[in-house]
Amino acid sequence: MDLQEVRNKLQNSVPGRWLLLGASKLYGAAGWLNRFAYQNGWKTVKSVNSRVVCIGNITAGGTGKTTAVLLAATALAKEGLRVAIVSRGYKRQQKSKEVVVLFDNPDADWRSAGDEPFMMSRVLSQYKVPVVISPDRAEAATEALRRFKSQIILLDDGFQHHRLKRDANIVLVDAKNPFGNGELLPYGNLREPLTALQRAALVVLTHCDQATPRELEDIKDKIREYNDEVDILESEHKPEYYFDVCKGRKVDLKDVQGKAACFCALGHPETFEKTLENLGLTLAQRWRFPDHQFYTAAHLRTFEDTRGSLPLITTFKDFVKFPDNWREILTKDVYVLSVNLKIRGGEEQMDKFTQVLYPKFFKRK
């Protein structure tokens, strides 16, 4: 049972709601005390000799953070900059305090790194971008600098992490559900009070195609109540192509039509499903799993036995967690949807994004 299911169950009773609210107060107090300790020198902030930019959230899950990190890393690498990604490797199966480095190692296992870092490493392999994983992200950043002489380090999902000093914070806000009910976890979805937006150098609204212009303006007004000088960019997730994993080739979006089956383990699975429907598919069968679910042969046999002749569609994040013998079970018509984050407004708006990443290099023309 995931957090949302537990929360929904507890909210059905008065004692449950009081329990959630009390837990939120404790969560908020612990977060405040942690921030206060770093701000007043009770805990040590570590600096590294590289620019550090955090790309993170103020809410739990589902904002499209991974695609934003990929967009940033790609933009930097294409300009010839030495960039590395640092991640804690959330929910990786093989727990270790040792630093794990994903770089030009095809035999690496997602279990030691986590599904999202592993997926990012595969996507960015053509750009030679290392992904460095450790629960101690300051140590991971130090390793990135030592091994790769990184000019810029992207801190993946580190807005609430304070030990590693950063030069800028990019905060993602989901336009579909920007702040939940305005309460902290676990009663709401907020990781921090909205006053934390004061630390943002840039805010990127995601999934803007799924919100009305009036809703977008209301979200911007709310953000400016806490940070009236911050630039706010709009973005949306754009499907690029399907990748046929059985045949190892790209497939045009228009070549997969009609009825289909899909599955995913994401923070907001409905977003993935809505994207498929917008591409013209009718989802006759769908499976939803808790975020970061790993798959067994039994899962795949269920998909195969149930889908019949329908194409089976998933995400890259899910595909990297297939068991080793997946080819023995899934033999045809299995597609991964490739999706990229696109900043709305053309080069001028994209330039604001890159200026925050590395202002000394990206000069406005």
Side-chain angles (χ1 to χ4, degrees), residues 115-130:
D115 52 1
E116 290 177 351
F118 187 82
M119 182 269 285
M120 288 191 288
S121 174
R122 286 293 185 261
V123 172
L124 294 169
S125 60
Q126 61 181 309
Y127 299 110
K128 302 296 183 183
V129 174

Side-chain angles (χ1 to χ4, degrees), residues 73-89:
T74 301
L76 293 164
K78 283 182 177 179
E79 296 293 341
L81 288 164
R82 296 186 302 275
V83 55
I85 296 170
V86 162
S87 173
R88 65 171 170 161

Side-chain angles (χ1 to χ4, degrees), residues 8-182:
N8 290 343
K9 187 174 181 179
L10 288 173
Q11 285 179 338
N12 288 330
S13 68
V14 173
R17 289 194 291 273
W18 277 107
L19 179 63
L20 286 172
L21 189 59
S24 292
K25 299 300 182 185
L26 290 174
Y27 175 88
W32 177 86
L33 184 61
N34 184 55
R35 293 189 296 273
F36 185 83
Y38 278 107
Q39 291 167 359
N40 290 274
W42 298 354
K43 290 185 176 181
T44 303
V45 177
K46 183 172 182 178
S47 300
V48 293
N49 190 26
S50 175
R51 182 171 175 80
V52 177
V53 177
C54 166
I55 299 179
N57 310 328
I58 197 169
T59 56
T63 60
K65 168 190 59 62
T66 301
T67 51
V69 175
L70 291 173
L71 175 65
T74 301
L76 293 164
K78 283 182 177 179
E79 296 293 341
L81 288 164
R82 296 186 302 275
V83 55
I85 296 170
V86 162
S87 173
R88 65 171 170 161
Y90 181 64
K91 284 197 174 181
R92 55 180 175 160
Q93 286 190 308
Q94 297 175 7
K95 305 291 186 182
S96 173
K97 292 185 178 180
E98 295 182 4
V99 176
V100 175
V101 179
L102 299 179
F103 181 74
D104 200 21
N105 44 349
D107 297 326
D109 191 331
W110 72 269
R111 294 170 184 83
S112 66
D115 52 1
E116 290 177 351
F118 187 82
M119 182 269 285
M120 288 191 288
S121 174
R122 286 293 185 261
V123 172
L124 294 169
S125 60
Q126 61 181 309
Y127 299 110
K128 302 296 183 183
V129 174
V131 181
V132 187
I133 302 102
S134 174
D136 185 342
R137 281 168 278 197
E139 184 178 349
T142 300
E143 182 68 7
L145 188 61
R146 184 187 71 82
R147 285 190 54 176
F148 305 104
K149 296 180 174 56
S150 304
Q151 294 167 287
I152 177 169
I153 292 171
L154 299 176
L155 181 57
D156 171 38
D157 195 18
F159 191 51
Q160 288 74 40
H161 175 82
H162 302 283
R163 183 164 182 257
L164 177 61
K165 186 178 185 300
R166 77 287 309 275
D167 297 279
N169 291 298
I170 297 175
V171 177
L172 305 185
V173 173
D174 184 1
K176 303 192 315 301
N177 185 23
F179 312 117
N181 59 5

Side-chain angles (χ1 to χ4, degrees), residues 216-287:
L216 294 177
E217 288 306 312
D218 288 344
I219 296 169
K220 292 177 184 179
D221 289 343
K222 188 69 175 179
I223 292 170
R224 291 190 178 108
E225 288 180 19
Y226 300 93
N227 189 337
D228 61 359
E229 295 183 355
V230 71
D231 279 326
I232 305 173
L233 305 183
E234 297 180 9
S235 71
E236 54 189 273
H237 287 78
K238 287 288 190 181
E240 287 190 306
Y241 57 83
Y242 294 110
F243 188 78
D244 186 331
V245 299
C246 298
K247 295 183 179 179
R249 63 183 179 89
K250 292 182 180 180
V251 176
D252 195 281
L253 294 173
K254 68 177 184 300
D255 292 338
V256 181
Q257 294 294 320
K259 291 184 178 181
C262 72
F263 68 94
C264 67
L266 304 173
H268 292 297
E270 65 278 3
T271 299
F272 171 60
E273 295 165 1
K274 182 67 174 177
T275 298
L276 295 178
E277 291 171 342
N278 289 341
L279 290 172
L281 295 175
T282 300
L283 299 180
Q285 179 67 55
R286 66 188 82 191
W287 292 270

